Amino acid sequence: VFARISFVRVKYLFLTWLTVLVGSWVLYVQYSTYTELCRGHECRNAICDKYRKGIIDGSACSSLCDKETLYMGRCLSTLPNNQVEDGDAVWGDHDGIIRCKLGEVAHYELGEEPEPRREAPVFDKPTRGTSVEKFREMVFNHLKSKLGEQANLASLVSQILSVADGNRDGRVSLPEARSTWALLQMDEVLLGLLLQDRGHTPRLLGYCGDLYMTERIPYGPLYGLSLPWPLASWVPSGVQRTVDQWFTPSWPRKAKISMGLLELVEDVFHGTYGSFLICDVAAARFGYTDRHELRLTDTRAVVPEDEFRRAMRALRCETDADCVYGTDCRTSCDPSERRCREEPVQPNLAKACGALKDYLLRGAPAAMREELERQLYACMALKGNAGQMNMEHSLILNNLKALLWRQISHTKDS
């Protein structure tokens, strides 16, 4: 008996030691990765160096570099050339997220000479002597290349030049123009500006060079938990989907958030500046505010339809599986040409309804659950380019919004 007790004790001591060892190793690896790749101080130093030399300027430069009232906080991303920081800014009541791009970190094998760090692009456009009108033309042509021929491009250019005037002195200086031009090269910034007027994306609070700050969205992802990578690989997807729906607001609040996603789909479908495709409707791409208003927190999921079509035309294929853009924007393969067709297989609305199905049906009022389920499945069944079926697309969208609104219009959540 004593021998058995001793064996059990030794076994538990061994398992405890092993657990502590593995846990310590994981913490060490995570800490090492964080300290090596989270380079917020490098980002600030590089930006402020160019600001002090008069190369760049912007609405956040003085607070970041002179007054030091814009702070880099906790690192949210350890991607070496895409630093995402928590930024605590003493700008009234604003508190937000700072994003900064740096040059790539050099990779080398043991025993080899390390390569020099690749520097971030210099802020060399527009050049000295460029007039405001010439800069306006540069911005117009850039937007046209991204969005195609749109009737409202001139008003969008004026909006961007207004943002470019960081110190609000009524004119755009050369350093401010260089910062603005650098920001416009990042699709996520341009798309954020396009959608923020309709309240779909976090507002741009300030910028300096290609560092920029947006408002913080307090709740995200849209639903579910972000499990650590060791657990995520072990949890079956079916269990994960079920658990995701446990951590959500009350149903009326979920309905209000869902209406925000449907309105986003409506606004990017033949919107003010053309049509856009949402190529990833995963919950991680969205968050919501204290008032339960949906925000698209990662605009990299959105692509102009013209750009999508150009990309698909250039893509060679053997099967339909080869014709994918982003995560879930798909077309079919033309076997005779061995090229991808341009028309998306599934419109934004069908993908949005697929993302909302479990979210809305869990906890839905019994009196409308059957009708809600029927409408969601009809929505998910939409096929082909929504531009070819405007009536059906609009009818399903309006019916779904009306059904949700009837349920929450009399509640405080509306």
Side-chain angles (χ1 to χ4, degrees):
V1 173
F2 287 112
R4 184 178 177 185
I5 292 172
S6 298
F7 173 76
V8 171
R9 183 179 296 171
V10 168
K11 185 172 76 170
Y12 279 114
L13 282 173
F14 173 75
L15 289 174
T16 303
W17 172 82
L18 186 63
T19 303
V20 170
L21 181 66
V22 171
S24 301
W25 177 80
V26 169
L27 287 173
Y28 170 75
V29 169
Q30 292 290 328
Y31 177 76
S32 299
T33 303
Y34 184 93
T35 53
E36 288 174 18
L37 295 182
C38 193
R39 303 183 289 147
H41 62 287
E42 289 185 38
C43 175
R44 180 183 175 279
N45 291 342
I47 288 291
C48 289
D49 179 61
K50 289 180 173 61
Y51 164 66
R52 292 187 180 112
K53 289 178 179 176
I55 298 171
I56 58 173
D57 200 356
S59 55
C61 290
S62 177
S63 297
L64 181 71
C65 306
D66 294 336
K67 301 173 185 175
E68 297 189 353
T69 53
L70 178 56
Y71 303 103
M72 297 274 190
R74 181 170 56 91
C75 190
L76 298 179
S77 167
T78 52
L79 292 174
N81 63 340
N82 183 31
Q83 293 295 289
V84 182
E85 306 283 335
D86 258 343
D88 299 316
V90 186
W91 283 358
D93 297 327
H94 295 311
D95 142 55
I97 303 295
I98 297 174
R99 287 180 167 83
C100 178
K101 288 188 178 291
L102 286 166
E104 295 180 20
V105 175
H107 297 284
Y108 59 93
E109 300 294 333
L110 289 176
E112 293 182 357
E113 287 295 318
E115 299 174 14
R117 185 188 299 279
R118 300 184 188 92
E119 292 296 328
V122 293
F123 297 92
D124 57 354
K125 290 183 180 179
T127 56
R128 189 171 298 279
T130 302
S131 66
V132 173
E133 284 309 309
K134 179 63 178 175
F135 181 57
R136 180 186 291 271
E137 184 183 336
M138 285 173 61
V139 173
F140 182 90
N141 290 333
H142 178 69
L143 296 178
K144 185 177 174 182
S145 72
K146 290 289 183 181
L147 305 175
E149 290 277 2
Q150 303 297 333
N152 297 308
L153 280 188
S155 64
L156 179 58
V157 172
S158 298
Q159 178 188 334
I160 288 171
L161 290 184
S162 174
V163 172
D165 180 15
N167 58 6
R168 295 289 179 263
D169 64 352
R171 65 186 187 89
V172 178
S173 66
L174 180 61
E176 287 173 335
R178 285 174 176 154
S179 291
T180 305
W181 185 253
L183 288 175
L184 291 177
Q185 307 314 302
M186 295 185 278
D187 289 347
E188 64 266 29
V189 178
L190 175 56
L191 290 166
L193 288 171
L194 292 179
L195 296 172
Q196 75 173 9
D197 283 349
R198 299 286 293 171
H200 297 308
T201 55
R203 287 179 298 116
L204 178 69
L205 299 178
Y207 66 92
C208 185
D210 57 0
L211 173 150
Y212 64 98
M213 177 177 174
T214 58
E215 66 177 330
R216 185 196 306 278
I217 303 305
Y219 301 102
L222 181 60
Y223 53 78
L225 294 175
S226 300
L227 295 176
W229 63 264
L231 287 177
S233 58
W234 286 94
V235 177
S237 58
V239 173
Q240 176 73 52
R241 282 197 301 272
T242 302
V243 172
D244 280 348
Q245 301 308 324
W246 293 350
F247 301 93
T248 55
S250 65
W251 192 86
R253 289 173 174 172
K254 288 195 292 185
K256 182 177 180 181
I257 294 166
S258 299
M259 285 187 66
L261 180 53
L262 296 175
E263 286 167 358
L264 168 63
V265 168
E266 188 173 26
D267 284 343
V268 300
F269 172 55
H270 295 325
T272 308
Y273 304 110
S275 295
F276 297 84
L277 297 176
I278 305 175
C279 290
D280 188 357
V281 291
R285 302 288 187 184
F286 302 92
Y288 56 94
T289 67
D290 291 319
R291 299 178 63 186
H292 301 93
E293 296 166 338
L294 181 115
R295 294 289 185 271
L296 174 63
T297 52
D298 189 349
T299 53
R300 289 172 298 180
V302 180
V303 59
E305 189 172 340
D306 280 3
E307 183 178 325
F308 170 79
R309 289 175 178 275
R310 284 196 301 270
M312 300 318 288
R313 276 199 302 268
L315 205 57
R316 299 192 67 83
C317 62
E318 296 292 333
T319 67
D320 290 351
D322 298 324
C323 300
V324 182
Y325 186 105
T327 301
D328 55 18
C329 281
R330 302 173 183 275
T331 68
S332 57
C333 181
D334 183 341
S336 60
E337 298 277 340
R338 291 195 172 182
R339 286 195 179 275
C340 294
R341 296 185 174 96
E342 295 180 22
E343 300 297 334
V345 171
Q346 197 177 31
N348 292 327
L349 183 57
K351 291 186 287 186
C353 289
L356 292 175
K357 179 175 72 71
D358 292 341
Y359 184 68
L360 277 175
L361 290 179
R362 181 180 173 83
M368 55 89 71
R369 193 183 193 284
E370 185 178 342
E371 176 61 15
L372 175 61
E373 187 171 15
R374 186 190 68 77
Q375 289 199 25
L376 284 170
Y377 275 104
C379 174
M380 290 162 59
L382 284 169
K383 297 290 182 186
N385 180 15
Q388 296 175 349
M389 48 179 190
N390 287 338
M391 289 295 291
E392 186 180 6
H393 182 279
S394 299
L395 185 63
I396 288 176
L397 177 61
N398 291 334
N399 285 346
L400 194 49
K401 284 173 61 180
L403 180 64
L404 295 175
W405 179 247
R406 281 199 302 271
Q407 290 296 317
I408 66 170
S409 58
H410 60 282
T411 69
K412 63 180 181 181
D413 298 299
S414 63

